[in-house]
Amino acid sequence: MTRSLSLRAAIVSVALFAVFIAAWHLATRGTGAVANMDPEYAKLMGATATQGKSAMPGPLDVGKVLWQHLNQPFYDKGPNDKGVGIQLAYSLGRVLTGYFLAVIVAIPIGFLIGMSALMSRALDPFIQVLKPISPLAWMPLALYTIKDSNLSAIFVIFICSVWPMLINTAFGVSAVRKEWLNVARTLEVGPIRRAFTVILPAAAPTILTGMRISIGIAWLVIVAAEMLVGGTGIGYFVWNEWNNLSIVNVINAILLIGVVGMILDQILAYCQRAVTFPE
């Protein structure tokens, strides 16, 4: 049954993808008359916008350039001309550094909040004030105090990754069945051992859910952060290619961002399934 459902889902996905590609191809091949447009916009977009040809590249153009990028992903021809492999590596390095720093901070504090009603009430006002702040709002302050664009981007990833992990960890720990904890107390299991042998296995699926949400947010935020700080990274690559009016490269970067984000999410989804057991 499961195999049949997976097969049917794959067929539907392929069909939807084919429809999307066909619609994209048809939408970008028109060469009809050009409507009146702002002269400044026409100057910005170039000849394709003023001659009636669609300024948006078609799937064949995008696929051709994507193949070139994948053939030479790690070339380096100067500060503003690096392969997408190098740019993705910079972005992944920043994301993983900030993310693992958030893991180190969020999970212990989440355990503390989940196991102690006193600490939960004491820390809740700080969490509720800091959690809604946009991560990019911290960027000017980080640049001013840290004075390093790379470390500032890592700090932004850290601050946006902390909250989903912390809240999900606290919820998972506080939701552990009381009878399990009572049995552990009856057996005179100490608090530290109880945390690792009873609470952590029971709360692991919820903790991994928070980590999965955090990695998605971190990968989303790094693109915007790199547009602000510049230099290297896939976000900077998108902004630089827009400044060069290379819409094909912008689309290719968007596709690569989506694929890498999916891979990161699926890795944590696999880990989540590995620690989830039927009761």
Side-chain angles (χ1 to χ4, degrees), residues 35 55 94 103 114-115 135 156 246 250:
R94 293 177 183 125
V103 170
M115 296 177 68
V156 169
S246 179
V250 171

Side-chain angles (χ1 to χ4, degrees), residues 138-150 152-153 228-229:
W138 293 97
M139 181 61 78
L141 186 61
L143 288 170
Y144 180 77
T145 55
I146 301 174
K147 295 179 174 60
D148 184 280
S149 59
N150 187 54
S152 297
L228 292 177
V229 300

Side-chain angles (χ1 to χ4, degrees), residues 212 215 219 255-269:
R212 188 177 174 184
I215 197 66
W219 187 242
L255 292 173
L256 291 171
I257 289 167
V259 169
V260 173
M262 180 186 69
I263 292 171
L264 293 173
D265 178 79
Q266 289 305 305
I267 290 172
L268 285 172

Side-chain angles (χ1 to χ4, degrees), residues 168 172 199-211 271-277:
N168 276 269
I199 297 175
L200 180 59
T206 308
I207 295 172
L208 264 295
T209 299
M211 294 175 67
C271 296
Q272 184 182 12
R273 289 192 297 269
V275 299
T276 302
F277 301 97

Side-chain angles (χ1 to χ4, degrees), residues 111 115 184 188-201:
F111 259 85
M115 296 177 68
E188 298 183 352
V189 177
I192 296 178
R193 187 180 175 190
R194 187 163 66 241
F196 281 98
T197 59
V198 179
I199 297 175
L200 180 59

Side-chain angles (χ1 to χ4, degrees), residues 4-20:
S4 174
L5 179 61
S6 299
L7 178 60
R8 285 182 290 162
I11 292 171
V12 172
S13 295
V14 171
L16 290 173
F17 180 74
V19 170
F20 170 74

Side-chain angles (χ1 to χ4, degrees), residues 24-32 48-49 51-58 61:
W24 181 8
H25 176 70
L26 292 174
T28 55
R29 63 179 299 201
T31 56
T48 56
Q51 294 175 358
K53 185 179 178 181
S54 174
M56 179 64 69
D61 299 323

